[in-house]
Amino acid sequence: MRAKLLTYSQPYKKQLFTFWFTFGWFLTIFYYSSGKITTFATKLKIKNIQHMKISGVLKMTLIILLWGLCFASCSKMDNDEFQATEKKLVKIIIDETSSHSDYFFSYDNDGHLKEASCYTSLQNTPVLYKYKYDWNTSSINVTETITINDDFIAQGSIYTINILDGLARSISYNQDPTEMGSIKYNASNRVSEYSDRNSNGIIIWDNDKLLSVTCNFDSEDYYYISSFTYGDQYSIKGYSPLIPEATITDMLFIAHPELGGMKTNQIPVSETNTWTDTPDDIVITHYKYEFDNEGYISKITAERNINVKDTNVVVYTLTWE
């Protein structure tokens, strides 16, 4: 589903522009020719107007109005088309040696994430997570349903994300209102800090490039650090879900990275992961991308080298509609 339906199709847009452009030139030439509109009136079959004279001011006003309509129409169509043509991420398939996960996203008519689900396995046991999102003016309420091995386990409203000026600012946990998560931003409205009931992190950007994420889990006394490098940049549409996945891992932000200041068309070519308690353990991941014919990422191959000895390959397959 697209965020917004096209107001004009491409062929109709060209026809409309041609009409206003031609008609505007016609009136301009007419203004500098005879002060009478005999030919024009005859074509329109308007009687008793052949000898009417129109003042120069009135004629010039008509011309200005017509040219204004021409450019205003084209400008509006360009803006509408730009807003309408961005597709939504509807599916992610993640395959690696020992596991497989499917993520699905569905949207309402306003382009807001309505439902999301994740089907995966834990120790060969199928697990299905389902999330529903209730959008309000200043908040999003999230409801979760968990099914393990086809047996219903739990359902409930788990948290509310509070929105201000188009950005997520805090998270309220419905089971314990005293617990709060927060999200902070830099001067460019890129996420710079976050905290929830399990972890907290510091995020560093270089303009639109995510450089590093330093994360600490509350139950541990060490930090997990991810650093990203970039090479030749592609001209892509959409975004890479690796960016929100590396910062605030939540299906809402994977579908709407703009809510957390994480939407960017800059895609890393490698990622290095280290831990402060075991500095000799290093995981280096190299990313390779494939694109569909419109420029959206269709496939990401992540080759993970663990301490240079072991290699693990993870393949992300993305579907946009």
Side-chain angles (χ1 to χ4, degrees):
M1 178 182 292
R2 294 172 185 262
K4 183 179 179 183
L5 295 176
L6 281 171
T7 307
Y8 303 100
S9 65
Q10 189 69 15
Y12 182 71
K13 174 182 174 180
K14 292 180 178 178
Q15 293 171 7
L16 192 62
F17 173 79
T18 302
F19 170 77
W20 285 118
F21 187 85
T22 304
F23 196 45
W25 271 114
F26 174 81
L27 282 185
T28 304
I29 295 171
F30 167 74
Y31 172 71
Y32 288 105
S33 61
S34 172
K36 297 183 180 181
I37 54 173
T38 303
T39 304
F40 183 68
T42 302
K43 288 184 178 180
L44 295 179
K45 297 181 181 180
I46 301 176
K47 296 181 180 180
N48 302 322
I49 199 172
Q50 286 85 346
H51 301 291
M52 183 184 293
K53 294 184 178 181
I54 302 177
S55 69
V57 174
L58 179 58
K59 288 186 289 185
M60 202 62 201
T61 301
L62 288 172
I63 292 171
I64 292 171
L65 286 173
L66 263 297
W67 279 110
L69 281 172
C70 173
F71 289 109
S73 299
C74 295
S75 175
K76 182 182 184 302
M77 286 184 286
D78 286 339
N79 291 335
D80 285 347
E81 185 178 6
F82 175 79
Q83 295 175 9
T85 52
E86 181 159 302
K87 293 182 177 181
K88 309 293 286 186
L89 182 62
V90 297
K91 186 178 181 180
I92 304 175
I93 299 174
I94 303 178
D95 282 306
E96 51 186 316
T97 305
S98 59
S99 67
H100 175 94
S101 300
D102 295 318
Y103 294 81
F104 298 93
F105 307 86
S106 63
Y107 303 83
D108 62 21
N109 292 331
D110 294 323
H112 294 149
L113 182 64
K114 180 175 62 176
E115 294 183 356
S117 60
C118 171
Y119 183 83
T120 186
S121 61
L122 295 175
Q123 298 178 346
N124 295 323
T125 301
V127 181
L128 176 62
Y129 300 90
K130 284 188 175 181
Y131 301 91
K132 291 186 177 181
Y133 301 89
D134 181 17
W135 292 69
N136 299 301
T137 305
S138 59
S139 65
I140 305 168
N141 189 61
V142 185
T143 302
E144 179 186 53
T145 302
I146 303 175
T147 304
I148 299 179
N149 203 20
D150 296 328
D151 294 326
F152 174 77
I153 299 298
Q155 181 178 15
S157 175
I158 53 175
Y159 58 86
T160 299
I161 297 177
N162 302 301
I163 307 295
L164 179 64
D165 297 329
L167 293 172
R169 305 288 178 170
S170 63
I171 302 173
S172 305
Y173 298 99
N174 300 340
Q175 294 178 347
D176 186 354
T178 61
E179 288 189 297
M180 291 285 292
S182 66
I183 305 174
K184 298 180 181 180
Y185 301 87
N186 62 21
S188 301
N189 284 334
R190 293 290 185 191
V191 58
S192 59
E193 295 182 42
Y194 73 90
S195 65
D196 57 30
R197 55 185 172 183
N198 298 316
S199 63
N200 59 82
I202 297 175
I203 302 160
I204 298 176
W205 297 80
D206 178 13
N207 294 320
D208 291 337
K209 294 180 180 179
L210 174 65
L211 295 185
S212 68
V213 179
T214 301
C215 178
N216 169 247
F217 293 95
D218 294 345
S219 60
E220 307 292 345
D221 58 358
Y222 64 87
Y223 288 89
Y224 169 77
I225 304 170
S226 298
S227 302
F228 299 86
T229 60
Y230 297 80
D232 296 334
Q233 289 303 296
Y234 305 91
S235 177
I236 73 167
K237 288 188 177 180
Y239 56 91
S240 170
L242 295 176
I243 301 301
E245 183 188 41
T247 51
I248 307 173
T249 305
D250 188 288
M251 293 187 72
L252 175 64
F253 292 111
I254 291 176
H256 289 288
E258 69 279 1
L259 277 178
M262 296 175 282
K263 187 173 183 179
T264 174
N265 61 3
Q266 302 294 306
I267 50 179
V269 296
S270 68
E271 176 183 355
T272 301
N273 304 126
T274 57
W275 294 260
T276 55
D277 63 329
T278 55
D280 292 334
D281 291 335
I282 300 174
V283 177
I284 299 177
T285 305
H286 297 279
Y287 297 109
K288 294 182 180 179
Y289 301 88
E290 295 180 20
F291 303 88
D292 64 18
N293 56 7
E294 296 181 73
Y296 292 88
I297 299 174
S298 59
K299 187 177 182 180
I300 304 172
T301 302
E303 184 179 287
R304 293 175 179 166
N305 298 306
I306 305 170
N307 293 332
V308 189
K309 300 176 182 179
D310 301 319
T311 300
N312 181 31
V313 176
V314 182
V315 178
Y316 302 76
T317 303
L318 282 60
T319 302
W320 305 80
E321 292 181 1

